[in-house]
Amino acid sequence: MSALSIQGVSRVFETAQGQRTQALLPVDFNVHDNDFVTILGPSGCGKSTLLRIVAGLERPSTGRVMLDGQPVDGPGADRGMVFQSYTLFPWLTVAQNIRFGLRERGMAEAAQKERCDYFMAKVGLRGFENHFPKQLSGGMQQRTAIARALANDPKILLLDEPFGALDNQTRVLMQELLLGIWESARKTVLFVTHDIDEAIFMANRVAVFSARPGRIKSDIAVNLPHPRHYTVKTSPEFMQLKARLTEEIRSESMAAAH
Ligand SMILES: Nc1ncnc2c1ncn2[C@@H]1O[C@H](COP(=O)(O)OP(=O)(O)OP(=O)(O)O)[C@@H](O)[C@H]1O
Ligand SMILES: [Mg+2]
């Protein structure tokens, strides 16, 4: 059984003026336990829409999403979501943000603190417990959002261009950080990105979306060994995948522009 099964999920948006946009064509896609799947596709092809449907924040027009055999019909603690833009609660400190879901669940104070400390250390934020989001850099805010998602111990992590707004250096560090966490904790991850290098480096599968209306155009296995270091990006296997994906994305981006 797949951890996540996306079955015939499509989405049409309709504005108040009655203008219809088919954001997604019916998508069938399975994500297995411990898979790290990246979704790559041109802007506007429905990637965020699909992720929001999986998160239960948006309803599909057709089809359904199953998580461990149960239909998804709203947001839940079993899915941890990290968005592209910073979505911390600005009135809460870093530690309060990370502990938010744990508190909601009624976890004992000491256990909350222990979990929070563990994930703060994991993302390199020790010492910033009492800072507010506006006192952090963008990368630190994003690390807090990732720590918050991980602290809730979700079944599956949904990441929508989590590093999109970061400078290249920070982005690479964050990629290595998340990959290291995945290599040790084996989470199931669905990760949306525009960046081909990032898509290959992180994943064991890359799903390429077509231009809008989106559908999955190809599903490519990435068999690079783990643990992966940044140097893998210069290997012939990586270059070969990159050439193939670059070509696929180029043709879709051109289709999107017309
Ligand atoms: N709430 C909404 N109401 C109306 N249309 C929407 C809504 N959300 C998304 N859309 C439309 O659905 C399409 C897909 O949007 P979506 O945000 O899923 O794309 P994306 O692949 O995530 O793009 P990007 O890479 O730029 O983030 C777009 O044409 C967008 O205008
Ligand atoms: Mg998007």
Side-chain angles (χ1 to χ4, degrees), residues 22-44:
Q22 176 103 40
L24 274 181
L25 286 173
V27 170
D28 288 290
F29 193 66
N30 290 316
V31 179
H32 303 285
D33 265 330
N34 303 334
D35 257 357
F36 196 131
V37 176
T38 47
I39 295 179
L40 194 59
S43 180

Side-chain angles (χ1 to χ4, degrees), residues 237-256:
E237 295 83 359
F238 191 99
M239 302 293 241
Q240 217 165 8
L241 279 167
K242 186 171 174 175
R244 173 167 175 201
L245 288 167
T246 304
E247 192 45 46
E248 294 212 17
I249 288 295
R250 205 179 94 88
S251 61
E252 287 310 317
S253 302
M254 280 165 60

Side-chain angles (χ1 to χ4, degrees), residues 42-49 84 160-161 192 194:
S43 180
C45 73
K47 305 181 295 297
S48 296
T49 302
Q84 170 169 21
D160 192 359
E161 302 199 41
V192 167
H194 272 121

Side-chain angles (χ1 to χ4, degrees), residues 11-15 19-24 39 41-52 58 84 160-161 192-194 209-210 212-214:
R11 184 67 162 103
V12 176
F13 288 108
E14 199 159 343
T15 62
Q19 198 187 351
R20 286 164 57 89
T21 306
Q22 176 103 40
L24 274 181
I39 295 179
S43 180
C45 73
K47 305 181 295 297
S48 296
T49 302
L50 182 64
L51 224 61
R52 291 173 55 80
E58 196 91 68
Q84 170 169 21
D160 192 359
E161 302 199 41
V192 167
T193 179
H194 272 121
F209 262 60
S210 71
R212 184 170 56 80

